[in-house]
Amino acid sequence: LDVLFKIVKSHVGQLVVYLTQETLTRPWCAGEIATAYQCKTLKAVAVHTPSFKRSNHPNLSQAVINISIVESYDITASLIDEAYDWL
């Protein structure tokens, strides 16, 4: 994941997020979105599939399975929440 997050930081100008019912539950997706959000210069485009249902829950990070995987990269639940709101 370290390489993936570095690529998002240094080689991506626009992040396209393909939103399915599972996208926001995957830790690597959460990490990519949070990394893009932190960059402030990156733009993101969300592609909503029919299976995607946006939750009204204020803490969307709670849906991330094994969030501890990205926490070791200083990607916190609150950062994920902010990034998901940004998206």
Side-chain angles (χ1 to χ4, degrees):
L1 288 178
D2 187 46
V3 172
L4 178 62
F5 299 153
K6 284 180 183 176
I7 288 170
V8 170
K9 284 180 188 175
S10 59
H11 298 303
V12 173
Q14 185 167 7
L15 183 70
V16 177
V17 182
Y18 191 74
L19 292 170
T20 67
Q21 67 183 17
E22 289 138 6
T23 304
L24 300 182
T25 67
R26 296 181 175 133
W28 56 89
C29 295
E32 286 180 88
I33 295 165
T35 300
Y37 170 71
Q38 285 181 308
C39 289
K40 303 296 183 197
T41 57
L42 269 174
K43 295 184 181 195
V45 174
V47 177
H48 296 82
T49 66
S51 71
F52 179 72
K53 303 288 184 257
R54 182 92 178 171
S55 171
N56 291 329
H57 195 284
N59 300 319
L60 292 174
S61 61
Q62 291 181 354
V64 178
I65 299 167
N66 295 325
I67 196 170
S68 60
I69 292 171
V70 293
E71 288 174 334
S72 63
Y73 297 95
D74 295 324
I75 297 172
T76 62
S78 62
L79 176 60
I80 293 169
D81 288 331
E82 288 177 35
Y84 283 1
D85 286 341
W86 166 73
L87 183 64

